[in-house]
């Protein structure tokens, strides 16, 4: 555990709360909104890239492979580099994944989806760890909030993106 992580692990502090509200929650919302975006735009992606529905499923499945792999990678990463480092790497993967997913080519989209899956794993670990240390008396409520945000962001992504895709 690094010195900065020991600071977070101590008493509840504003620094940990700032990390939770400033990086953890917005990152989770963006990750899941992006996940819903790919699902909602599936027909357009199939048409533009001239791929089958099965390959579109593979693109979406790569996200979940990245997510599963990320849980193992980030657990090891946190032990070596600390939770703040995991948060920083997760946000970088989030940005990289979104940028690559916007390229209208098959391979960059696949790499972008894998990066997004890794980012979600890292951000869930980051937000959960910081929330537990920032608000020790409200741990269960905040962990439930994180899971509600995951579901809510996915739902809002589907509700907003599908009508927008129909307009295009």
């Amino acid at each position: 555990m690094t010195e900065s992580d020991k600071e977070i692990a101590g008493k509840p502090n504003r620094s940990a709360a700032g990390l939770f509200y400033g990086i953890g929650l917005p990152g989770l919302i963006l990750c899941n909104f992006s996940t819903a975006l790919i699902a909602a735009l599936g027909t357009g992606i199939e048409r533009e890239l001239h791929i089958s529905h099965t390959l579109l499923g593979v693109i979406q499945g790569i996200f979940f492979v990245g997510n599963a792999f990320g849980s193992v990678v980030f657990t090891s990463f946190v032990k070596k580099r600390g939770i703040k480092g995991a948060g920083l790497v997760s946000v970088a993967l989030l940005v990289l994944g979104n940028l690559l997913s916007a390229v209208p080519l098959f391979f960059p989209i696949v790499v972008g989806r894998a990066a997004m899956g890794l980012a979600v794993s890292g951000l869930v670990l980051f937000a959960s760890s910081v929330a537990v240390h920032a608000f020790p008396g409200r741990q269960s409520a905040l962990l439930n909030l994180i899971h509600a945000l995951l579901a809510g962001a996915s739902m809002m992504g589907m509700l907003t993106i599908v009508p927008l895709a129909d307009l295009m």
Side-chain angles (χ1 to χ4, degrees), residues 36-67:
L37 175 72
I38 293 293
L41 296 177
T43 304
I45 292 170
E46 280 179 286
R47 186 178 53 245
E48 293 296 320
L49 296 180
H50 307 290
I51 60 173
S52 68
H53 194 67
T54 304
L55 274 179
L56 181 65
V58 168
I59 289 173
Q60 191 66 353
I62 292 293
F63 169 84
F64 295 104
V65 170
N67 199 339

Side-chain angles (χ1 to χ4, degrees), residues 39-122:
L41 296 177
T43 304
I45 292 170
E46 280 179 286
R47 186 178 53 245
E48 293 296 320
L49 296 180
H50 307 290
I51 60 173
S52 68
H53 194 67
T54 304
L55 274 179
L56 181 65
V58 168
I59 289 173
Q60 191 66 353
I62 292 293
F63 169 84
F64 295 104
V65 170
N67 199 339
F69 185 67
S71 62
V72 174
V73 169
F74 276 106
T75 301
S76 174
F77 185 86
V78 166
K79 290 179 183 175
K80 293 179 183 173
R81 302 285 182 202
I83 196 69
K84 285 185 180 179
L88 183 63
V89 169
S90 297
V91 170
L93 285 168
L94 171 67
V95 171
L96 177 69
N98 275 316
L99 289 174
L100 287 173
S101 293
V103 175
L105 298 169
F106 183 75
F107 186 71
I109 289 176
V110 168
V111 173
R113 297 307 293 158
M116 290 295 297
L118 287 166
V120 168
S121 278

